[in-house]
Amino acid sequence: MIAADPHSPLMSINFREALNEEQYAAVTAEPGPALVLAGAGSGKTRTLTYRVAYLLSQGLNPWEILLLTFTNKAAKEMLARVENLTGIPAYKFWGGTFHHIGQKILRQHGEAIGLSKAFTIIDQSDAENLLSDVIRNHNPGFLKNKDNPKAKLIANIFSYARNTLTPLSELLDERYPYFDFISDELEIFFKKYQERKAKEQVLDYDDLLEKLLKLLQQEPAIAALYQERFKHVLVDEYQDTNRLQASIVDLLGSHHRIMAVGDDAQCIYTWRGADHQNIMSFPDRHPGAIIYKIETNYRSTPNILALANDVLTFQSEESGYNKTLKATRSTGPSPYFVPILDTRQQAQFILKRISGLYQEGVALSDIAILYRAHHHSMDLQMELSRQNLSYQITSGVRFFEQAHIRDLVAQLRFLHNPNDTTAFVRFSSLLPKVGPKTAEKLLTLANKLAEENQTTVFKALDNEAVLKKVPELAKEHWTDLAYTLQDAAENLDKLSPQEIVRILIEAWYGDFLKTLFTNWSAREDDLQSLLGFAGRYQDMGELLAQLVLLNSETSDRSVDMAEDALRLTTIHQAKGLEFKVVFVIGLAEKQFPIRRAIEEGNIDEELRLFYVAVTRAQDELYLLSPKMTLHGASPELLQPSRFVTGLSPESYEVLHVNKPSW
DNA sequence: AGTCGAGTTCTTTTT
DNA sequence: GAACTCGACT
């Protein structure tokens, strides 16, 4: 018993002293359904971490607590803080994203619903490619016809239907009436897509949730196992859960010892199926639920909070739970509204202001520039590089999404799950004169030969009959590749995943890389990082799952983390973070709110996003609104964002910038 | 039939 | 920049 140990750091935590009244009430809540409405900057993470510590101090074991988060980053931070507070190492907890937990449980018990032990996970772009292929197989002309939606959009529709537990036909009727003429065909594509994944034994992101729910629903014995194990279920960012996730939570926490923590004003993922209703109807689904409101804000100056509260007042009324953030800090400078000529001057203004702040002693890492969409930061990035100011950008191509990483991961996937045709096609299509069609044909042939000769598909790859069909130009590489795969496959169970990765890097791909990319040397470094990453895992299935699920872990190639650097990030990715000084750029109609949201009448979510943006600021907040954008060759005039014009004038101060000083 | 290269268009947000 | 399209080449 952990709590009985008098030396445990748990015993020395003074909950009363460490928490305010509101937080204390939530942290020490009696077992039972609880909805914690924690406003921005109110110490939400602190509350959750202390809740975990409190439960432990009541005698619970770490593995009896399930901690669900929305992003990997949040999971990592939360567990680190729990470890810090309680001294109990993070790995002892069941904590992570829904997808992560899904993966973990399915790897244990997936066979009960017909999953292979060796299933591999495909990421979004793999899934889109797979769907394109399915569509082309069924109707080769479909994607060529300009009247038809692109595979990417179709994939989004499918995903949305699955995440919201809506039958596809219903979703199409309601949201896509203009695709009525192909709805039957889309249904067929969906069915074929599902079949194809089953055949290849691959799961997409949605499967990790869907199959988990299915497992829990269809196998009561297994469900009971987890229901009994997890004495308490804690959910972070509950406002951003979708119906599929909420069903999982309700099932895993059928004992109603669920604590859902969230802020409905910060729901910014409806496009991914996040459902406001989850948080609004929580008390109905869990009778006796107690609502805890935490509204005391420790982050921002009263000036910034006044503006934030002002933002919430023009939210349309249906958005339930009313809340007003209460300030604890003393007054600071007023938030600034900065109308500015164009995006270039916007960049120059920021740089000038930053150098001023820097001289005042503000560290670069305390300054963030937030934007709605990645490309809004282009000018700024150029200007920053020109002035040699170091910045850290959480965006763009993620480390694990780079072509060369994916090529190597595809080889690992194929080794682990030889049914994963998609993976094979990916790396073998790299060879000259080999495209998707040829790759698939060759693999089918190899599979056939392997069966006839009672050997593995890896051995069959350089069978003479296969080699005869390999295009002349690709022959040499093909033999290299086949040999590498054989070598790796033979050692798959004997060596660690890291050693397998090493074999792959040092054999075919390492050489081939040099013919593929001009900057192969930098990419070689990335592969070395991958090798290092692989060292953390003992099991190939686990490594592969993490590679796909952790794809937000960005490359640290460009910036050394310890270095003092400016932070550039989308608002979505800034959620949960705080900075002394925040610049929100591109506050113009069609940029923020973005055009699409205006056209689709989806302004509420943009507004919540704006709310998230302004509540990141601790001391200073700058709202920048360019009057013009240089989109391609033709400049476009912009109106100031309705979010700014809608604010009451006393909540900000206008800063006029006449002309740049250089 | 399938692959390759040149040219064109467009960019929301994440697991 | 990357993803996509189109036409030419094998």
Side-chain angles (χ1 to χ4, degrees):
Chain A
M1 284 293 280
I2 290 161
D5 173 7
H7 302 296
S8 160
L10 276 174
M11 300 319 284
S12 58
I13 300 174
N14 186 337
F15 290 94
R16 187 58 92 179
E17 215 157 76
L19 304 163
N20 70 26
E21 279 303 314
E22 298 169 333
Q23 294 169 338
Y24 183 79
V27 163
T28 58
E30 291 290 309
L35 180 59
V36 179
L37 297 169
S42 66
K44 186 194 61 167
T45 309
R46 185 179 184 82
T47 305
L48 261 173
T49 352
Y50 273 85
R51 173 65 173 174
V52 173
Y54 178 76
L55 292 174
L56 295 171
S57 76
Q58 297 296 103
L60 248 80
N61 291 305
W63 55 87
E64 294 173 323
I65 300 170
L66 176 65
L67 186 58
L68 290 164
T69 62
F70 196 66
T71 62
N72 291 303
K73 203 169 65 184
K76 213 166 137 186
E77 197 200 332
M78 195 90 68
L79 290 178
R81 282 173 71 165
V82 170
E83 178 169 344
N84 207 2
L85 184 64
T86 64
I88 297 169
Y91 69 84
K92 295 210 171 177
F93 294 90
W94 275 71
T97 61
F98 284 86
H99 295 85
H100 180 96
I101 298 296
Q103 179 269 136
K104 207 166 160 179
I105 294 179
L106 289 173
R107 212 160 279 288
Q108 282 284 327
H109 297 288
E111 279 171 310
I113 51 165
L115 284 180
S116 148
K117 262 225 148 32
F119 72 79
T120 37
I121 304 169
I122 58 176
D123 68 14
Q124 186 172 315
S125 69
D126 288 329
E128 282 162 16
N129 290 336
L130 188 69
L131 178 64
S132 305
D133 198 50
V134 167
I135 294 174
R136 268 194 298 269
N137 280 340
H138 182 256
N139 178 352
F142 187 89
L143 292 172
K144 297 214 168 100
N145 185 339
K146 292 236 176 354
D147 293 331
N148 291 336
K150 301 222 174 66
K152 202 173 172 168
L153 176 57
I154 301 175
N156 279 335
I157 297 175
F158 289 176
S159 177
Y160 190 87
R162 298 166 72 193
N163 278 290
T164 53
L165 300 178
T166 314
L168 184 58
S169 56
E170 196 177 300
L171 178 68
L172 289 171
D173 276 357
E174 277 169 20
R175 298 201 14 163
Y176 301 94
Y178 43 92
F179 291 150
D180 190 42
F181 68 108
I182 45 165
S183 61
D184 290 344
E185 205 158 16
L186 292 178
E187 298 264 8
I188 296 171
F189 294 159
F190 184 56
K191 214 174 121 233
K192 300 250 173 205
Y193 172 67
Q194 300 286 53
E195 287 167 5
R196 175 73 174 273
K197 280 183 302 169
K199 188 171 143 238
E200 295 194 9
Q201 293 169 24
V202 297
L203 301 189
D204 62 19
Y205 283 142
D206 301 332
D207 281 321
L208 294 175
L209 308 179
E210 236 174 18
K211 301 266 191 255
L212 172 60
L213 183 62
K214 185 177 166 193
L215 176 73
L216 295 173
Q217 283 172 339
Q218 293 186 357
E219 302 293 329
I222 294 172
L225 202 70
Y226 287 99
Q227 285 156 351
E228 276 161 41
R229 158 180 272 169
F230 301 129
K231 303 269 190 297
H232 283 263
V233 177
L234 309 183
V235 192
D236 188 22
E237 306 282 12
Y238 191 74
Q239 78 282 355
D240 280 324
T241 55
N242 57 44
R243 282 192 61 190
L244 184 51
Q245 291 166 324
S247 306
I248 291 170
V249 172
D250 289 350
L251 248 172
L252 278 176
S254 59
H255 44 50
H256 296 304
R257 285 186 300 274
I258 303 175
M259 178 174 274
V261 182
D263 177 1
D264 49 289
Q266 293 189 65
C267 172
I268 53 176
Y269 284 95
T270 54
W271 49 275
R272 232 175 91 183
D275 191 348
H276 234 160
Q277 270 319 107
N278 289 339
I279 197 164
M280 302 312 292
S281 69
F282 184 87
D284 301 333
R285 297 201 319 282
H286 299 281
I290 299 175
I291 297 180
Y292 299 89
K293 278 194 187 183
I294 306 184
E295 298 181 314
T296 310
N297 176 295
Y298 294 97
R299 179 182 294 156
S300 314
T301 62
N303 318 58
I304 291 168
L305 284 185
L307 187 139
N309 285 328
D310 195 15
V311 170
L312 280 195
T313 57
F314 43 95
Q315 192 178 31
S316 48
E317 67 293 341
E318 113 281 7
S319 321
Y321 305 114
N322 236 340
K323 81 183 68 60
T324 312
L325 294 174
K326 287 172 284 204
T328 56
R329 296 190 47 192
S330 53
T331 304
S334 168
Y336 299 107
F337 171 53
V338 191
I340 205 149
L341 186 66
D342 60 21
T343 46
R344 277 197 58 193
Q345 288 208 13
Q346 178 175 259
Q348 288 170 350
F349 170 83
I350 291 176
L351 274 160
K352 216 176 131 199
R353 190 66 202 106
I354 285 173
S355 78
L357 289 163
Y358 194 65
Q359 271 154 32
E360 289 166 30
V362 180
L364 288 181
S365 55
D366 284 329
I367 306 173
I369 296 154
L370 309 184
Y371 36 83
R372 176 66 244 260
H374 285 310
H375 65 270
H376 293 154
S377 69
M378 285 311 177
D379 282 305
L380 194 61
Q381 285 188 53
M382 267 155 59
E383 201 64 31
L384 287 170
S385 335
R386 191 163 13 194
Q387 304 227 3
N388 226 346
L389 211 62
S390 54
Y391 63 95
Q392 189 196 350
I393 183 160
T394 37
S395 79
V397 189
R398 297 185 182 85
F399 182 73
F400 292 127
E401 280 177 8
Q402 299 177 92
H404 50 294
I405 300 290
R406 297 175 59 121
D407 290 343
L408 202 99
V409 171
Q411 295 170 62
L412 290 175
R413 269 168 54 191
F414 181 63
L415 282 168
H416 184 69
N417 172 12
N419 289 302
D420 194 338
T421 310
T422 320
F424 180 81
V425 170
R426 162 148 197 128
F427 62 79
S428 55
S429 307
L430 295 168
L431 304 186
K433 300 291 159 193
V434 179
K437 298 288 171 196
T438 315
E440 210 174 328
K441 252 184 233 159
L442 291 166
L443 179 62
T444 312
L445 180 59
N447 268 321
K448 206 176 117 224
L449 289 169
E451 201 169 320
E452 281 171 16
N453 303 339
Q454 294 281 313
T455 128
T456 67
V457 64
F458 309 107
K459 279 247 162 38
L461 279 176
D462 63 348
N463 182 300
E464 268 177 52
V466 178
L467 279 178
K468 235 191 279 171
K469 302 259 167 142
V470 176
E472 204 53 46
L473 273 168
K475 272 217 168 85
E476 213 183 307
H477 285 301
W478 182 276
T479 2
D480 269 3
L481 170 60
Y483 181 75
T484 309
L485 289 175
Q486 280 164 28
D487 185 18
E490 271 169 28
N491 290 300
L492 198 55
D493 298 322
K494 294 179 211 147
L495 299 176
S496 68
Q498 184 174 38
E499 289 305 318
I500 300 296
V501 173
R502 193 192 303 279
I503 290 177
L504 294 183
I505 295 178
E506 286 175 0
W508 169 70
Y509 193 70
D511 283 337
F512 192 69
L513 185 75
K514 294 174 185 167
T515 67
L516 217 47
F517 303 105
T518 46
N519 61 343
W520 53 268
S521 156
R523 295 181 190 250
E524 238 172 12
D525 287 348
D526 287 342
L527 292 179
Q528 289 302 317
S529 308
L530 178 64
L531 185 67
F533 182 82
R536 297 195 222 159
Y537 298 90
Q538 291 311 307
D539 175 74
M540 185 60 85
E542 182 67 16
L543 168 65
L544 282 171
Q546 294 309 320
L547 283 171
V548 183
L549 293 175
L550 280 183
N551 70 2
S552 63
E553 210 159 290
T554 39
S555 163
D556 49 6
R557 192 196 330 151
S558 47
V559 210
D560 162 21
M561 296 312 247
E563 196 188 338
D564 183 34
L566 201 62
R567 187 66 168 263
L568 268 63
T569 165
T570 62
I571 300 165
H572 279 92
Q573 290 183 44
K575 190 157 101 164
L577 304 178
E578 58 183 16
F579 301 92
K580 285 206 168 74
V581 182
V582 167
F583 295 87
V584 184
I585 64 173
L587 270 167
E589 288 291 291
K590 296 186 191 172
Q591 287 202 356
F592 191 8
I594 55 162
R595 198 178 63 234
R596 216 168 133 156
I598 300 173
E599 283 164 1
E600 291 173 3
N602 205 356
I603 294 298
D604 276 4
E605 176 134 332
E606 297 288 304
L607 186 70
R608 292 195 294 265
L609 206 49
F610 182 54
Y611 179 72
V612 170
V614 299
T615 50
R616 297 310 97 200
Q618 298 174 297
D619 302 342
E620 291 183 43
L621 175 65
Y622 295 84
L623 306 172
L624 288 99
S625 174
K627 297 191 183 79
M628 207 165 70
T629 177
L630 303 163
H631 201 265
S634 54
E636 197 189 343
L637 275 178
L638 298 171
Q639 298 301 316
S641 169
R642 67 188 73 185
F643 298 152
V644 177
T645 53
L647 289 169
S648 71
E650 55 267 28
S651 57
Y652 60 85
E653 199 173 289
V654 185
L655 212 61
H656 291 286
V657 183
N658 297 323
K659 54 185 172 185
S661 56
W662 57 85

